[in-house]
Amino acid sequence: MPLVKRNIEPRHLCRGALPDGVTSELECVTNTTLAAIIKQLGSLSRHAEDIFGELFNEANSFYLRMSSLQERVDQLAVKVTQLDSTVEEVSLQDINMRKAFKSSTIQDQQVVSRTSVPNPVVEMYHRCDKPPPLNILTPYRDDKKDALKFYTDPSYFFNLWKEKMLQATEDKRKEKRRQKEQQRQVEDPSREVKKVRKARNRRQEWNVLAYDKEFRPDARLAPSPYHGMSSEGSLSPDSRSMASDSYPASPNHPSTQASSTAHPADHHTRDHLSAAAQTQSLDRGLRPANQPPGAGGAAATGRHVASLGRTPSGHGVQAGGDPTVNGPRQQSVKDYRAAHGGQPSTIPEYYIPPAPPPPPLTIPSAQTAFDSTNAPPSATSAVPPTSSALSRPYSPSPPPPPANFCPPPPTRLQAHPRPPLLLLLREPPWATRPTRHPRTPLSVSQLWTRHPRRGSPPCWG
Amino acid sequence: MAGQEDQVQREIHQDWANREYIEVITSSIKKIADFLNSFDMSCRSRLAKINEKLTALERRIEYIEARVTKGETLT
């Protein structure tokens, strides 16, 4: 049952003992009742006065605040009319050096404290029984604590909360110290620098890694679409041979193809195998990227016009396939495949973007679908194996460059609409394809031979 | 005794009248108390709304004042 804030005091009007010796008792009761009514009216008026007083105090405080606000508004209005934009400082440095705005409004604190208890409640409190006077025992205690505190302590909860807060701050401080210690132990300036570099130049690093030592990009070397052919082993032996046949002059075509079945057609093959090229796996798109710059330079003369991702002309076939293609190129390739399905490879000249990161990429599911469909026809295309082979030698590390950019065939330029880069899935360079075999770097000599160095089975799709 | 019975009847009638009178008074007292309570509640709710608006206004004024005045720089 809730506590009643204001009780009108004579609760029962007609109760009370009748005095002795009255003749008309009914009249007596009536008079008693009327007297109680008068007392009730008295307490009622007291309560009413209390109510109005509280309301008045609150309204008064609002009035004061409002009047001060009114003055501030008036002053502001005057000040605003005096504003002059020509005089105001506009130096950029000073703008940053200005003190930040800090509001001076304080939130309400101690809202339900002892001091904010309303009067009727205080009176009710005083009417209650007092706790036993245990304070008189305080001088006899050994620990000199207040004896009454053991019986009833009004500040108990506050003390509890205070201790909890202090403990929390202490814990946070310790955590910070611990983390700082850990960071100091772990942190290595060189490593940090490395991290920064990696974040900034990852793509360039991948491109660099994709090339073999001989084909590391120099300023003089033209960007070749063949750099970093990431033949993730998707090229079939047939396609490899075909690829090598198709581009005999290009050193970029690795003689041995990676196992990726998804690299059925290099961009080289695209030139020559229109129908087959379409069947090429996703690697095709990646071919151009994976071509080493040196080899690509040779091949690029004829072929590589623009990066797969960037050139509007789409290589319908290659675009779809290569999951290992670096970012945009990969995406564009994939999109293209999706868009154009089995269109002949009319790959315009692409500028092959830098090779993707070394670890082989896993083929996204969508692309694996493509790969699976395109895997059989990939046998017809000779380019992929060569392209994949090309990509291998340029990655000095065992993990082959993942990006298999297929450089567009220079001869065939079809107006394929450029697939939107953003739509394509970009698999992380370090994603590993489950079916792919790691490409092994091939020597330069092997590039020029058209035999697969290793019989890594195409594992695309 | 008819006379006494009359007297008693008269007293009882008078008592009834008195009680009705008392009842009217007490019901009025209850109405007054009820009105005071509702007045208190409505006043408090309105004052709370005013309080909210006042705080919002105060914050806006403070921000505008900060924007308009030329602030001091850190250095």
Side-chain angles (χ1 to χ4, degrees), chain B residues 2-24:
Chain B
Q4 283 184 357
E5 283 176 9
D6 284 341
Q7 181 62 29
V8 171
Q9 270 185 2
R10 255 181 265 130
E11 279 185 17
I12 290 172
H13 282 312
Q14 186 60 40
D15 186 58
W16 275 109
N18 294 342
R19 282 178 192 265
E20 191 193 342
Y21 178 63
I22 287 167
E23 185 58 38
V24 166

mmCIF file with all atom_site columns, all heavy atoms in Angstrom, chain B residues 2-24:
data_model
loop_
_atom_site.group_PDB
_atom_site.id
_atom_site.type_symbol
_atom_site.label_atom_id
_atom_site.label_alt_id
_atom_site.label_comp_id
_atom_site.label_asym_id
_atom_site.label_entity_id
_atom_site.label_seq_id
_atom_site.pdbx_PDB_ins_code
_atom_site.Cartn_x
_atom_site.Cartn_y
_atom_site.Cartn_z
_atom_site.occupancy
_atom_site.B_iso_or_equiv
_atom_site.pdbx_formal_charge
_atom_site.auth_seq_id
_atom_site.auth_comp_id
_atom_site.auth_asym_id
_atom_site.auth_atom_id
_atom_site.pdbx_PDB_model_num
ATOM 1   N N   . ALA B 1 2  ? -46.550 8.469  25.088 1.00 0.00 ? 2  ALA B N   1
ATOM 2   C CA  . ALA B 1 2  ? -46.547 9.046  23.751 1.00 0.00 ? 2  ALA B CA  1
ATOM 3   C C   . ALA B 1 2  ? -45.698 10.297 23.730 1.00 0.00 ? 2  ALA B C   1
ATOM 4   O O   . ALA B 1 2  ? -44.989 10.558 22.786 1.00 0.00 ? 2  ALA B O   1
ATOM 5   C CB  . ALA B 1 2  ? -47.970 9.347  23.306 1.00 0.00 ? 2  ALA B CB  1
ATOM 6   N N   . GLY B 1 3  ? -45.785 11.057 24.786 1.00 0.00 ? 3  GLY B N   1
ATOM 7   C CA  . GLY B 1 3  ? -44.991 12.280 24.808 1.00 0.00 ? 3  GLY B CA  1
ATOM 8   C C   . GLY B 1 3  ? -43.513 11.965 24.710 1.00 0.00 ? 3  GLY B C   1
ATOM 9   O O   . GLY B 1 3  ? -42.768 12.571 23.946 1.00 0.00 ? 3  GLY B O   1
ATOM 10  N N   . GLN B 1 4  ? -43.099 10.994 25.517 1.00 0.00 ? 4  GLN B N   1
ATOM 11  C CA  . GLN B 1 4  ? -41.668 10.654 25.480 1.00 0.00 ? 4  GLN B CA  1
ATOM 12  C C   . GLN B 1 4  ? -41.315 10.064 24.127 1.00 0.00 ? 4  GLN B C   1
ATOM 13  O O   . GLN B 1 4  ? -40.227 10.324 23.598 1.00 0.00 ? 4  GLN B O   1
ATOM 14  C CB  . GLN B 1 4  ? -41.333 9.644  26.587 1.00 0.00 ? 4  GLN B CB  1
ATOM 15  C CG  . GLN B 1 4  ? -41.233 10.306 27.960 1.00 0.00 ? 4  GLN B CG  1
ATOM 16  C CD  . GLN B 1 4  ? -40.815 9.320  29.019 1.00 0.00 ? 4  GLN B CD  1
ATOM 17  O OE1 . GLN B 1 4  ? -40.639 8.132  28.764 1.00 0.00 ? 4  GLN B OE1 1
ATOM 18  N NE2 . GLN B 1 4  ? -40.695 9.810  30.240 1.00 0.00 ? 4  GLN B NE2 1
ATOM 19  N N   . GLU B 1 5  ? -42.237 9.253  23.624 1.00 0.00 ? 5  GLU B N   1
ATOM 20  C CA  . GLU B 1 5  ? -41.948 8.700  22.312 1.00 0.00 ? 5  GLU B CA  1
ATOM 21  C C   . GLU B 1 5  ? -41.833 9.814  21.305 1.00 0.00 ? 5  GLU B C   1
ATOM 22  O O   . GLU B 1 5  ? -40.958 9.810  20.434 1.00 0.00 ? 5  GLU B O   1
ATOM 23  C CB  . GLU B 1 5  ? -43.051 7.717  21.887 1.00 0.00 ? 5  GLU B CB  1
ATOM 24  C CG  . GLU B 1 5  ? -42.936 6.383  22.587 1.00 0.00 ? 5  GLU B CG  1
ATOM 25  C CD  . GLU B 1 5  ? -44.092 5.477  22.222 1.00 0.00 ? 5  GLU B CD  1
ATOM 26  O OE1 . GLU B 1 5  ? -44.869 5.830  21.300 1.00 0.00 ? 5  GLU B OE1 1
ATOM 27  O OE2 . GLU B 1 5  ? -44.216 4.422  22.857 1.00 0.00 ? 5  GLU B OE2 1
ATOM 28  N N   . ASP B 1 6  ? -42.695 10.777 21.434 1.00 0.00 ? 6  ASP B N   1
ATOM 29  C CA  . ASP B 1 6  ? -42.553 11.904 20.521 1.00 0.00 ? 6  ASP B CA  1
ATOM 30  C C   . ASP B 1 6  ? -41.196 12.540 20.666 1.00 0.00 ? 6  ASP B C   1
ATOM 31  O O   . ASP B 1 6  ? -40.549 12.901 19.687 1.00 0.00 ? 6  ASP B O   1
ATOM 32  C CB  . ASP B 1 6  ? -43.651 12.929 20.810 1.00 0.00 ? 6  ASP B CB  1
ATOM 33  C CG  . ASP B 1 6  ? -44.987 12.459 20.251 1.00 0.00 ? 6  ASP B CG  1
ATOM 34  O OD1 . ASP B 1 6  ? -44.959 11.579 19.363 1.00 0.00 ? 6  ASP B OD1 1
ATOM 35  O OD2 . ASP B 1 6  ? -46.028 12.960 20.691 1.00 0.00 ? 6  ASP B OD2 1
ATOM 36  N N   . GLN B 1 7  ? -40.814 12.696 21.957 1.00 0.00 ? 7  GLN B N   1
ATOM 37  C CA  . GLN B 1 7  ? -39.537 13.337 22.195 1.00 0.00 ? 7  GLN B CA  1
ATOM 38  C C   . GLN B 1 7  ? -38.399 12.551 21.547 1.00 0.00 ? 7  GLN B C   1
ATOM 39  O O   . GLN B 1 7  ? -37.543 13.114 20.876 1.00 0.00 ? 7  GLN B O   1
ATOM 40  C CB  . GLN B 1 7  ? -39.317 13.455 23.716 1.00 0.00 ? 7  GLN B CB  1
ATOM 41  C CG  . GLN B 1 7  ? -38.017 14.123 24.110 1.00 0.00 ? 7  GLN B CG  1
ATOM 42  C CD  . GLN B 1 7  ? -37.933 15.540 23.625 1.00 0.00 ? 7  GLN B CD  1
ATOM 43  O OE1 . GLN B 1 7  ? -38.949 16.230 23.464 1.00 0.00 ? 7  GLN B OE1 1
ATOM 44  N NE2 . GLN B 1 7  ? -36.741 16.009 23.367 1.00 0.00 ? 7  GLN B NE2 1
ATOM 45  N N   . VAL B 1 8  ? -38.475 11.237 21.777 1.00 0.00 ? 8  VAL B N   1
ATOM 46  C CA  . VAL B 1 8  ? -37.414 10.404 21.190 1.00 0.00 ? 8  VAL B CA  1
ATOM 47  C C   . VAL B 1 8  ? -37.466 10.492 19.670 1.00 0.00 ? 8  VAL B C   1
ATOM 48  O O   . VAL B 1 8  ? -36.423 10.636 18.993 1.00 0.00 ? 8  VAL B O   1
ATOM 49  C CB  . VAL B 1 8  ? -37.549 8.936  21.670 1.00 0.00 ? 8  VAL B CB  1
ATOM 50  C CG1 . VAL B 1 8  ? -36.616 8.041  20.899 1.00 0.00 ? 8  VAL B CG1 1
ATOM 51  C CG2 . VAL B 1 8  ? -37.282 8.846  23.150 1.00 0.00 ? 8  VAL B CG2 1
ATOM 52  N N   . GLN B 1 9  ? -38.711 10.409 19.148 1.00 0.00 ? 9  GLN B N   1
ATOM 53  C CA  . GLN B 1 9  ? -38.812 10.494 17.689 1.00 0.00 ? 9  GLN B CA  1
ATOM 54  C C   . GLN B 1 9  ? -38.245 11.811 17.187 1.00 0.00 ? 9  GLN B C   1
ATOM 55  O O   . GLN B 1 9  ? -37.519 11.854 16.192 1.00 0.00 ? 9  GLN B O   1
ATOM 56  C CB  . GLN B 1 9  ? -40.285 10.364 17.276 1.00 0.00 ? 9  GLN B CB  1
ATOM 57  C CG  . GLN B 1 9  ? -40.713 8.950  17.024 1.00 0.00 ? 9  GLN B CG  1
ATOM 58  C CD  . GLN B 1 9  ? -42.123 8.881  16.517 1.00 0.00 ? 9  GLN B CD  1
ATOM 59  O OE1 . GLN B 1 9  ? -42.792 9.903  16.308 1.00 0.00 ? 9  GLN B OE1 1
ATOM 60  N NE2 . GLN B 1 9  ? -42.620 7.682  16.337 1.00 0.00 ? 9  GLN B NE2 1
ATOM 61  N N   . ARG B 1 10 ? -38.565 12.835 17.926 1.00 0.00 ? 10 ARG B N   1
ATOM 62  C CA  . ARG B 1 10 ? -38.039 14.129 17.469 1.00 0.00 ? 10 ARG B CA  1
ATOM 63  C C   . ARG B 1 10 ? -36.516 14.126 17.531 1.00 0.00 ? 10 ARG B C   1
ATOM 64  O O   . ARG B 1 10 ? -35.840 14.618 16.617 1.00 0.00 ? 10 ARG B O   1
ATOM 65  C CB  . ARG B 1 10 ? -38.615 15.243 18.358 1.00 0.00 ? 10 ARG B CB  1
ATOM 66  C CG  . ARG B 1 10 ? -39.699 16.041 17.657 1.00 0.00 ? 10 ARG B CG  1
ATOM 67  C CD  . ARG B 1 10 ? -40.225 17.136 18.556 1.00 0.00 ? 10 ARG B CD  1
ATOM 68  N NE  . ARG B 1 10 ? -41.421 16.688 19.269 1.00 0.00 ? 10 ARG B NE  1
ATOM 69  C CZ  . ARG B 1 10 ? -41.593 16.810 20.581 1.00 0.00 ? 10 ARG B CZ  1
ATOM 70  N NH1 . ARG B 1 10 ? -40.667 17.336 21.350 1.00 0.00 ? 10 ARG B NH1 1
ATOM 71  N NH2 . ARG B 1 10 ? -42.718 16.351 21.161 1.00 0.00 ? 10 ARG B NH2 1
ATOM 72  N N   . GLU B 1 11 ? -35.992 13.538 18.606 1.00 0.00 ? 11 GLU B N   1
ATOM 73  C CA  . GLU B 1 11 ? -34.537 13.524 18.709 1.00 0.00 ? 11 GLU B CA  1
ATOM 74  C C   . GLU B 1 11 ? -33.916 12.734 17.568 1.00 0.00 ? 11 GLU B C   1
ATOM 75  O O   . GLU B 1 11 ? -32.899 13.119 16.971 1.00 0.00 ? 11 GLU B O   1
ATOM 76  C CB  . GLU B 1 11 ? -34.113 12.918 20.062 1.00 0.00 ? 11 GLU B CB  1
ATOM 77  C CG  . GLU B 1 11 ? -34.177 13.898 21.220 1.00 0.00 ? 11 GLU B CG  1
ATOM 78  C CD  . GLU B 1 11 ? -33.643 13.279 22.481 1.00 0.00 ? 11 GLU B CD  1
ATOM 79  O OE1 . GLU B 1 11 ? -32.938 12.244 22.384 1.00 0.00 ? 11 GLU B OE1 1
ATOM 80  O OE2 . GLU B 1 11 ? -33.915 13.827 23.567 1.00 0.00 ? 11 GLU B OE2 1
ATOM 81  N N   . ILE B 1 12 ? -34.572 11.611 17.272 1.00 0.00 ? 12 ILE B N   1
ATOM 82  C CA  . ILE B 1 12 ? -34.026 10.774 16.203 1.00 0.00 ? 12 ILE B CA  1
ATOM 83  C C   . ILE B 1 12 ? -34.128 11.501 14.876 1.00 0.00 ? 12 ILE B C   1
ATOM 84  O O   . ILE B 1 12 ? -33.181 11.484 14.067 1.00 0.00 ? 12 ILE B O   1
ATOM 85  C CB  . ILE B 1 12 ? -34.757 9.409  16.161 1.00 0.00 ? 12 ILE B CB  1
ATOM 86  C CG1 . ILE B 1 12 ? -34.380 8.587  17.390 1.00 0.00 ? 12 ILE B CG1 1
ATOM 87  C CG2 . ILE B 1 12 ? -34.377 8.661  14.901 1.00 0.00 ? 12 ILE B CG2 1
ATOM 88  C CD1 . ILE B 1 12 ? -35.188 7.329  17.529 1.00 0.00 ? 12 ILE B CD1 1
ATOM 89  N N   . HIS B 1 13 ? -35.245 12.149 14.682 1.00 0.00 ? 13 HIS B N   1
ATOM 90  C CA  . HIS B 1 13 ? -35.358 12.889 13.436 1.00 0.00 ? 13 HIS B CA  1
ATOM 91  C C   . HIS B 1 13 ? -34.283 13.957 13.362 1.00 0.00 ? 13 HIS B C   1
ATOM 92  O O   . HIS B 1 13 ? -33.635 14.142 12.323 1.00 0.00 ? 13 HIS B O   1
ATOM 93  C CB  . HIS B 1 13 ? -36.732 13.544 13.347 1.00 0.00 ? 13 HIS B CB  1
ATOM 94  C CG  . HIS B 1 13 ? -37.818 12.593 12.957 1.00 0.00 ? 13 HIS B CG  1
ATOM 95  N ND1 . HIS B 1 13 ? -37.699 11.733 11.899 1.00 0.00 ? 13 HIS B ND1 1
ATOM 96  C CD2 . HIS B 1 13 ? -39.049 12.372 13.498 1.00 0.00 ? 13 HIS B CD2 1
ATOM 97  C CE1 . HIS B 1 13 ? -38.817 10.992 11.784 1.00 0.00 ? 13 HIS B CE1 1
ATOM 98  N NE2 . HIS B 1 13 ? -39.654 11.375 12.755 1.00 0.00 ? 13 HIS B NE2 1
ATOM 99  N N   . GLN B 1 14 ? -34.118 14.646 14.511 1.00 0.00 ? 14 GLN B N   1
ATOM 100 C CA  . GLN B 1 14 ? -33.096 15.684 14.535 1.00 0.00 ? 14 GLN B CA  1
ATOM 101 C C   . GLN B 1 14 ? -31.717 15.092 14.281 1.00 0.00 ? 14 GLN B C   1
ATOM 102 O O   . GLN B 1 14 ? -30.885 15.679 13.575 1.00 0.00 ? 14 GLN B O   1
ATOM 103 C CB  . GLN B 1 14 ? -33.138 16.397 15.896 1.00 0.00 ? 14 GLN B CB  1
ATOM 104 C CG  . GLN B 1 14 ? -32.210 17.612 15.988 1.00 0.00 ? 14 GLN B CG  1
ATOM 105 C CD  . GLN B 1 14 ? -32.562 18.650 14.965 1.00 0.00 ? 14 GLN B CD  1
ATOM 106 O OE1 . GLN B 1 14 ? -33.731 18.927 14.690 1.00 0.00 ? 14 GLN B OE1 1
ATOM 107 N NE2 . GLN B 1 14 ? -31.531 19.259 14.379 1.00 0.00 ? 14 GLN B NE2 1
ATOM 108 N N   . ASP B 1 15 ? -31.483 13.909 14.861 1.00 0.00 ? 15 ASP B N   1
ATOM 109 C CA  . ASP B 1 15 ? -30.189 13.266 14.652 1.00 0.00 ? 15 ASP B CA  1
ATOM 110 C C   . ASP B 1 15 ? -29.970 12.946 13.185 1.00 0.00 ? 15 ASP B C   1
ATOM 111 O O   . ASP B 1 15 ? -28.867 13.150 12.645 1.00 0.00 ? 15 ASP B O   1
ATOM 112 C CB  . ASP B 1 15 ? -30.099 11.998 15.503 1.00 0.00 ? 15 ASP B CB  1
ATOM 113 C CG  . ASP B 1 15 ? -28.720 11.397 15.423 1.00 0.00 ? 15 ASP B CG  1
ATOM 114 O OD1 . ASP B 1 15 ? -27.737 12.104 15.767 1.00 0.00 ? 15 ASP B OD1 1
ATOM 115 O OD2 . ASP B 1 15 ? -28.602 10.252 14.967 1.00 0.00 ? 15 ASP B OD2 1
ATOM 116 N N   . TRP B 1 16 ? -31.030 12.447 12.587 1.00 0.00 ? 16 TRP B N   1
ATOM 117 C CA  . TRP B 1 16 ? -30.925 12.166 11.163 1.00 0.00 ? 16 TRP B CA  1
ATOM 118 C C   . TRP B 1 16 ? -30.592 13.414 10.372 1.00 0.00 ? 16 TRP B C   1
ATOM 119 O O   . TRP B 1 16 ? -29.736 13.417 9.482  1.00 0.00 ? 16 TRP B O   1
ATOM 120 C CB  . TRP B 1 16 ? -32.235 11.542 10.627 1.00 0.00 ? 16 TRP B CB  1
ATOM 121 C CG  . TRP B 1 16 ? -32.281 10.052 10.827 1.00 0.00 ? 16 TRP B CG  1
ATOM 122 C CD1 . TRP B 1 16 ? -33.073 9.392  11.715 1.00 0.00 ? 16 TRP B CD1 1
ATOM 123 C CD2 . TRP B 1 16 ? -31.535 9.067  10.107 1.00 0.00 ? 16 TRP B CD2 1
ATOM 124 N NE1 . TRP B 1 16 ? -32.864 8.054  11.626 1.00 0.00 ? 16 TRP B NE1 1
ATOM 125 C CE2 . TRP B 1 16 ? -31.917 7.803  10.639 1.00 0.00 ? 16 TRP B CE2 1
ATOM 126 C CE3 . TRP B 1 16 ? -30.605 9.096  9.093  1.00 0.00 ? 16 TRP B CE3 1
ATOM 127 C CZ2 . TRP B 1 16 ? -31.385 6.606  10.173 1.00 0.00 ? 16 TRP B CZ2 1
ATOM 128 C CZ3 . TRP B 1 16 ? -30.071 7.882  8.648  1.00 0.00 ? 16 TRP B CZ3 1
ATOM 129 C CH2 . TRP B 1 16 ? -30.464 6.663  9.166  1.00 0.00 ? 16 TRP B CH2 1
ATOM 130 N N   . ALA B 1 17 ? -31.223 14.469 10.709 1.00 0.00 ? 17 ALA B N   1
ATOM 131 C CA  . ALA B 1 17 ? -30.961 15.721 10.001 1.00 0.00 ? 17 ALA B CA  1
ATOM 132 C C   . ALA B 1 17 ? -29.521 16.146 10.217 1.00 0.00 ? 17 ALA B C   1
ATOM 133 O O   . ALA B 1 17 ? -28.821 16.579 9.292  1.00 0.00 ? 17 ALA B O   1
ATOM 134 C CB  . ALA B 1 17 ? -31.941 16.809 10.477 1.00 0.00 ? 17 ALA B CB  1
ATOM 135 N N   . ASN B 1 18 ? -29.074 16.034 11.490 1.00 0.00 ? 18 ASN B N   1
ATOM 136 C CA  . ASN B 1 18 ? -27.682 16.403 11.775 1.00 0.00 ? 18 ASN B CA  1
ATOM 137 C C   . ASN B 1 18 ? -26.708 15.553 10.982 1.00 0.00 ? 18 ASN B C   1
ATOM 138 O O   . ASN B 1 18 ? -25.704 16.048 10.423 1.00 0.00 ? 18 ASN B O   1
ATOM 139 C CB  . ASN B 1 18 ? -27.395 16.250 13.271 1.00 0.00 ? 18 ASN B CB  1
ATOM 140 C CG  . ASN B 1 18 ? -28.184 17.237 14.107 1.00 0.00 ? 18 ASN B CG  1
ATOM 141 O OD1 . ASN B 1 18 ? -28.691 18.249 13.610 1.00 0.00 ? 18 ASN B OD1 1
ATOM 142 N ND2 . ASN B 1 18 ? -28.336 16.957 15.394 1.00 0.00 ? 18 ASN B ND2 1
ATOM 143 N N   . ARG B 1 19 ? -27.000 14.283 10.947 1.00 0.00 ? 19 ARG B N   1
ATOM 144 C CA  . ARG B 1 19 ? -26.063 13.413 10.219 1.00 0.00 ? 19 ARG B CA  1
ATOM 145 C C   . ARG B 1 19 ? -26.033 13.730 8.735  1.00 0.00 ? 19 ARG B C   1
ATOM 146 O O   . ARG B 1 19 ? -24.964 13.701 8.102  1.00 0.00 ? 19 ARG B O   1
ATOM 147 C CB  . ARG B 1 19 ? -26.454 11.953 10.448 1.00 0.00 ? 19 ARG B CB  1
ATOM 148 C CG  . ARG B 1 19 ? -26.001 11.479 11.807 1.00 0.00 ? 19 ARG B CG  1
ATOM 149 C CD  . ARG B 1 19 ? -26.419 10.043 12.076 1.00 0.00 ? 19 ARG B CD  1
ATOM 150 N NE  . ARG B 1 19 ? -26.207 9.777  13.486 1.00 0.00 ? 19 ARG B NE  1
ATOM 151 C CZ  . ARG B 1 19 ? -25.107 9.207  13.978 1.00 0.00 ? 19 ARG B CZ  1
ATOM 152 N NH1 . ARG B 1 19 ? -24.121 8.863  13.190 1.00 0.00 ? 19 ARG B NH1 1
ATOM 153 N NH2 . ARG B 1 19 ? -25.008 9.000  15.280 1.00 0.00 ? 19 ARG B NH2 1
ATOM 154 N N   . GLU B 1 20 ? -27.214 14.034 8.225  1.00 0.00 ? 20 GLU B N   1
ATOM 155 C CA  . GLU B 1 20 ? -27.199 14.402 6.812  1.00 0.00 ? 20 GLU B CA  1
ATOM 156 C C   . GLU B 1 20 ? -26.365 15.646 6.601  1.00 0.00 ? 20 GLU B C   1
ATOM 157 O O   . GLU B 1 20 ? -25.585 15.753 5.647  1.00 0.00 ? 20 GLU B O   1
ATOM 158 C CB  . GLU B 1 20 ? -28.637 14.613 6.317  1.00 0.00 ? 20 GLU B CB  1
ATOM 159 C CG  . GLU B 1 20 ? -28.692 14.739 4.804  1.00 0.00 ? 20 GLU B CG  1
ATOM 160 C CD  . GLU B 1 20 ? -30.031 15.256 4.344  1.00 0.00 ? 20 GLU B CD  1
ATOM 161 O OE1 . GLU B 1 20 ? -31.011 15.184 5.128  1.00 0.00 ? 20 GLU B OE1 1
ATOM 162 O OE2 . GLU B 1 20 ? -30.098 15.742 3.199  1.00 0.00 ? 20 GLU B OE2 1
ATOM 163 N N   . TYR B 1 21 ? -26.538 16.589 7.527  1.00 0.00 ? 21 TYR B N   1
ATOM 164 C CA  . TYR B 1 21 ? -25.758 17.823 7.440  1.00 0.00 ? 21 TYR B CA  1
ATOM 165 C C   . TYR B 1 21 ? -24.276 17.513 7.518  1.00 0.00 ? 21 TYR B C   1
ATOM 166 O O   . TYR B 1 21 ? -23.475 18.031 6.754  1.00 0.00 ? 21 TYR B O   1
ATOM 167 C CB  . TYR B 1 21 ? -26.198 18.722 8.608  1.00 0.00 ? 21 TYR B CB  1
ATOM 168 C CG  . TYR B 1 21 ? -25.445 20.026 8.691  1.00 0.00 ? 21 TYR B CG  1
ATOM 169 C CD1 . TYR B 1 21 ? -25.528 20.955 7.676  1.00 0.00 ? 21 TYR B CD1 1
ATOM 170 C CD2 . TYR B 1 21 ? -24.697 20.331 9.833  1.00 0.00 ? 21 TYR B CD2 1
ATOM 171 C CE1 . TYR B 1 21 ? -24.854 22.153 7.768  1.00 0.00 ? 21 TYR B CE1 1
ATOM 172 C CE2 . TYR B 1 21 ? -24.032 21.528 9.933  1.00 0.00 ? 21 TYR B CE2 1
ATOM 173 C CZ  . TYR B 1 21 ? -24.097 22.432 8.896  1.00 0.00 ? 21 TYR B CZ  1
ATOM 174 O OH  . TYR B 1 21 ? -23.448 23.624 8.976  1.00 0.00 ? 21 TYR B OH  1
ATOM 175 N N   . ILE B 1 22 ? -23.906 16.660 8.453  1.00 0.00 ? 22 ILE B N   1
ATOM 176 C CA  . ILE B 1 22 ? -22.494 16.286 8.590  1.00 0.00 ? 22 ILE B CA  1
ATOM 177 C C   . ILE B 1 22 ? -22.018 15.587 7.326  1.00 0.00 ? 22 ILE B C   1
ATOM 178 O O   . ILE B 1 22 ? -20.893 15.795 6.857  1.00 0.00 ? 22 ILE B O   1
ATOM 179 C CB  . ILE B 1 22 ? -22.313 15.394 9.833  1.00 0.00 ? 22 ILE B CB  1
ATOM 180 C CG1 . ILE B 1 22 ? -22.435 16.236 11.101 1.00 0.00 ? 22 ILE B CG1 1
ATOM 181 C CG2 . ILE B 1 22 ? -20.976 14.703 9.792  1.00 0.00 ? 22 ILE B CG2 1
ATOM 182 C CD1 . ILE B 1 22 ? -22.574 15.434 12.364 1.00 0.00 ? 22 ILE B CD1 1
ATOM 183 N N   . GLU B 1 23 ? -22.898 14.737 6.795  1.00 0.00 ? 23 GLU B N   1
ATOM 184 C CA  . GLU B 1 23 ? -22.501 14.010 5.589  1.00 0.00 ? 23 GLU B CA  1
ATOM 185 C C   . GLU B 1 23 ? -22.223 14.971 4.445  1.00 0.00 ? 23 GLU B C   1
ATOM 186 O O   . GLU B 1 23 ? -21.262 14.821 3.704  1.00 0.00 ? 23 GLU B O   1
ATOM 187 C CB  . GLU B 1 23 ? -23.598 13.014 5.197  1.00 0.00 ? 23 GLU B CB  1
ATOM 188 C CG  . GLU B 1 23 ? -23.247 12.128 4.042  1.00 0.00 ? 23 GLU B CG  1
ATOM 189 C CD  . GLU B 1 23 ? -21.997 11.302 4.269  1.00 0.00 ? 23 GLU B CD  1
ATOM 190 O OE1 . GLU B 1 23 ? -21.801 10.831 5.419  1.00 0.00 ? 23 GLU B OE1 1
ATOM 191 O OE2 . GLU B 1 23 ? -21.210 11.131 3.324  1.00 0.00 ? 23 GLU B OE2 1
ATOM 192 N N   . VAL B 1 24 ? -23.085 15.995 4.324  1.00 0.00 ? 24 VAL B N   1
ATOM 193 C CA  . VAL B 1 24 ? -22.856 16.972 3.268  1.00 0.00 ? 24 VAL B CA  1
ATOM 194 C C   . VAL B 1 24 ? -21.518 17.640 3.462  1.00 0.00 ? 24 VAL B C   1
ATOM 195 O O   . VAL B 1 24 ? -20.733 17.814 2.524  1.00 0.00 ? 24 VAL B O   1
ATOM 196 C CB  . VAL B 1 24 ? -24.013 18.007 3.270  1.00 0.00 ? 24 VAL B CB  1
ATOM 197 C CG1 . VAL B 1 24 ? -23.632 19.198 2.424  1.00 0.00 ? 24 VAL B CG1 1
ATOM 198 C CG2 . VAL B 1 24 ? -25.274 17.369 2.745  1.00 0.00 ? 24 VAL B CG2 1
#
